[in-house]
Amino acid sequence: MSSGSRQFGLSKSKITSFEQCPKRLWLQTHRPDLAELDAGAEARFAAGHEVGDAACSLCSGGIMIEAEPDLAAALQRTQELTSASAKAPLFEATFAHDGVLVRVDIMEPDGLGGWHVSEVKSSTSRKDYHVADLATQLWVLREAGIQVSSAAIRHLNNQFFLTEEGNYNGAFVDTPSLEDAKPLALKRPKLVAEIRTVLGGEEPARDPGDHCHDPFPCEFVAYCSRDLETARYPVSSLPRTGRQLAAKWAEHGIVELEDVPPGSFTNAIHARIHEATLSGIPYHDVDGARRIIGDWVYPRTYLDFETIAFALPRWLGTKPWEQVPFQFSAHIENSEGQFTHREFLSLDGSDPRRACAEALVAQIPQDGTVIAYNAAFERTCILRLAEQFSDLAENLKAIAARIVDLLPVTREHWYHRDQGGSWSIKAVLPTISNSGDYAMLDVADGSAAQLAYLEAIAPVTTEARGAEIAQSLRTYCAKDTFAMVEVVRHLTDTK
């Protein structure tokens, strides 16, 4: 290995960063102090480790190659084990070539002198970047003289349901990927040389774009966006096809919706957004909203769930990444406009589904309309509970059958240009009410609620901190349901 190849040590994750954006890897290498990790990074990292450990546990007799006291020891131990007549699976087998170090998740002997290589992932399907990761390993393994007879992305099986606590047999699926990775592996030497050239030079120039979030959220977005002039109402904010339309109008030097000529959009929603943006006058079809909402029978129950999803299912009858409700808020309005608030919250770490189902049956009125925002989510949560608890199924299904969706009603009858092309409840509420500032809350969105749940159930969390988290979750979920009340009042122009 030449002295030049030691200048910048590389790994499969660093190569993945480069393929996402050369500037990202340059900043990771030279300016890591500029990184701003998102709140969920630690949880994703922990989930990945949990999945990796489970995959290893299913390979009986495997040998974990520890990097103790350092990676040099792991390299030596790997060489010893792969040089002998292999009979046992190896975990974290460590190889290096041309300054690129890889640790292979699982290597299983094929009985013929070769190896089956598995790259373990916590997703429920194979992604393109998974194949690229595998290609880096195949290249290094080939140069190390390792015969790879087969290779796969070993990902979670979305058809697996936990039927016995701690038993994850069947939780993983191998998607064969050797043939797909081989062409990429052949290009790795050239790619590695390119990476070293970039890392040895000045900071690459690249504007922010879709690559900032695909396949991973980049920790340098704030830094890279610091000097950019942002459009007040960008063409890209148009729903669904906004990015394509933005590229089209950029060819004419237009990035602001306000600069697009009137009458340019044939899509009705886009035209509505454009007109409201140009005029500054919100679109509000009061009569249309009243016709629909007027049919919603009292008592009206405004319902919202918060859920937690684990990569590896923890509770019987759940599957990988299944959304399990641990909280709900319900604002119940009678025909005289009076409200009752009911709620459920489970933060003890045990399976919350039975208690949640019982609370729904006990607290949600047996008649009237149930209102949700993006109702498919709430309906699915309730129907999954009905599948799990046959004795409560009839009542739960009756609740699900009475659910109506406020989101499409809002989309069809209201738009304010400050929504930025979104009809999420958090985008709509500030345009109709002074109570819409979620940013002031300790828990301000669904992702933060999941992180709050994970903190609450952690063994190190004190009782006092747990109480704070519980109050923050109650405040957030209740705000979501009363936000729907405010939206309905505004759409129908009632006070």
Side-chain angles (χ1 to χ4, degrees):
M1 188 184 297
S2 68
S3 60
S5 65
R6 289 195 187 98
Q7 186 178 4
F8 302 110
L10 298 177
S11 63
K12 67 180 183 183
S13 61
K14 290 182 178 179
I15 291 173
T16 297
S17 288
F18 182 86
E19 290 189 300
Q20 178 173 347
C21 175
K23 187 175 183 179
R24 183 184 185 203
L25 181 59
W26 192 97
L27 290 168
Q28 287 175 341
T29 304
H30 296 287
R31 294 299 310 275
D33 55 297
L34 298 174
E36 295 182 16
L37 295 179
D38 68 283
E42 185 176 341
R44 291 193 299 271
F45 190 71
H49 270 287
E50 184 183 23
V51 169
D53 290 345
C56 290
S57 72
L58 295 171
C59 298
S60 61
I63 301 171
M64 175 63 73
I65 298 174
E66 305 286 356
E68 296 294 342
D70 53 28
L71 284 167
L75 287 165
Q76 179 62 36
R77 179 64 171 149
T78 298
Q79 186 175 22
E80 293 170 1
L81 290 170
T82 54
S83 297
S85 179
K87 295 183 179 179
L90 303 180
F91 309 139
E92 300 294 336
T94 309
F95 304 88
H97 172 70
D98 193 21
V100 178
L101 185 138
V102 298
R103 306 199 77 199
V104 182
D105 291 335
I106 299 176
M107 292 177 62
E108 299 168 272
D110 65 4
L112 300 172
W115 296 86
H116 173 74
V117 170
S118 297
E119 173 75 357
V120 179
K121 299 296 183 183
S122 59
S123 62
T124 56
S125 63
R126 189 185 80 172
K127 314 295 183 186
D128 288 345
Y129 75 89
H130 296 166
V131 180
D133 278 352
L134 182 61
T136 300
Q137 296 185 57
L138 293 178
W139 168 59
V140 174
L141 288 168
R142 184 188 67 216
E143 296 299 333
I146 301 298
Q147 180 184 335
V148 177
S149 55
S150 59
I153 302 302
R154 184 165 293 177
H155 55 80
L156 291 169
N157 176 10
N158 63 7
Q159 300 302 309
F160 170 81
F161 287 89
L162 188 67
T163 57
E164 181 184 349
E165 189 173 343
N167 183 354
Y168 293 109
N169 282 305
F172 292 89
V173 172
D174 274 9
T175 297
S177 302
L178 180 61
E179 295 307 313
D180 293 326
K182 276 181 177 178
L184 297 177
L186 294 174
K187 299 176 182 178
R188 273 340 193 214
K190 182 179 179 182
L191 177 64
V192 167
E194 181 186 351
I195 292 173
R196 290 222 168 83
T197 298
V198 170
L199 292 181
E202 297 297 317
E203 178 182 329
R206 191 173 191 190
D207 290 335
D210 292 349
H211 59 276
C212 297
H213 310 282
D214 184 20
F216 305 106
C218 178
E219 63 272 37
F220 300 104
V221 169
Y223 166 74
C224 293
S225 305
R226 68 198 183 285
D227 295 327
L228 292 180
E229 289 187 15
T230 56
R232 280 208 316 163
Y233 307 109
V235 177
S236 60
S237 67
L238 291 170
R240 298 190 179 180
T241 57
R243 288 176 178 173
Q244 298 96 305
L245 291 169
K248 168 191 167 185
W249 286 103
E251 294 175 1
H252 303 281
I254 292 175
V255 296
E256 287 272 11
L257 264 177
E258 292 174 297
D259 296 330
V260 176
S264 295
F265 296 107
T266 56
N267 176 284
I269 293 290
H270 291 173
R272 186 178 301 159
I273 292 172
H274 187 217
E275 182 178 347
T277 302
L278 287 177
S279 68
I281 301 172
Y283 171 81
H284 191 183
D285 179 4
V286 176
D287 292 337
R290 285 177 176 172
R291 279 193 295 272
I292 296 172
I293 294 173
D295 291 334
W296 294 355
V297 180
Y298 290 96
R300 293 175 176 175
T301 300
Y302 298 82
L303 179 66
D304 180 67
F305 286 107
E306 297 304 325
T307 60
I308 186 65
F310 296 106
L312 282 174
R314 299 191 181 186
W315 302 309
L316 299 183
T318 60
K319 63 180 182 177
W321 295 118
E322 179 176 339
Q323 298 286 348
V324 176
F326 66 87
Q327 179 182 16
F328 71 73
S329 169
H331 273 93
I332 303 168
E333 180 184 15
N334 67 20
S335 58
E336 296 177 356
Q338 298 171 325
F339 284 90
T340 303
H341 182 243
R342 294 173 179 169
E343 61 184 0
F344 167 81
L345 179 63
S346 173
L347 292 179
D348 62 7
S350 65
D351 185 348
R353 290 173 298 162
R354 177 74 196 188
C356 181
E358 290 177 347
L360 283 167
V361 171
Q363 298 187 34
I364 303 302
Q366 296 180 1
D367 55 1
T369 303
V370 180
I371 302 164
Y373 208 84
N374 195 16
F377 181 75
E378 271 69 27
R379 188 177 293 111
T380 298
C381 284
I382 294 173
L383 292 177
R384 286 287 292 126
L385 291 174
E387 291 173 9
Q388 192 69 24
F389 306 111
S390 58
D391 59 319
L392 302 175
E394 183 177 350
N395 287 328
L396 290 168
K397 288 179 180 178
I399 295 171
R402 292 185 282 119
I403 293 178
V404 297
D405 197 343
L406 180 55
L407 172 57
V409 181
T410 309
R411 184 186 295 118
E412 287 299 320
H413 300 94
W414 171 258
Y415 185 78
H416 187 292
R417 64 182 184 180
D418 289 347
Q419 289 172 221
S422 169
W423 278 271
S424 76
I425 196 82
K426 294 168 184 62
V428 172
L429 192 59
T431 70
I432 66 167
S433 167
N434 292 325
S435 66
D437 192 359
Y438 278 80
M440 300 298 291
L441 301 180
D442 291 332
V443 174
D445 56 40
S447 296
Q450 292 210 9
L451 293 176
Y453 178 88
L454 293 175
E455 183 184 355
I457 68 170
V460 297
T461 300
T462 65
E463 184 176 346
R465 176 58 184 151
E468 290 178 1
I469 293 170
Q471 186 55 52
S472 296
L473 284 166
R474 289 191 177 97
T475 299
Y476 165 65
C477 201
K479 186 174 184 64
D480 262 356
T481 50
F482 199 74
M484 287 189 277
V485 173
E486 293 186 278
V487 169
V488 166
R489 286 174 172 173
H490 183 80
L491 288 177
T492 56
D493 200 26
T494 57
K495 301 301 181 185

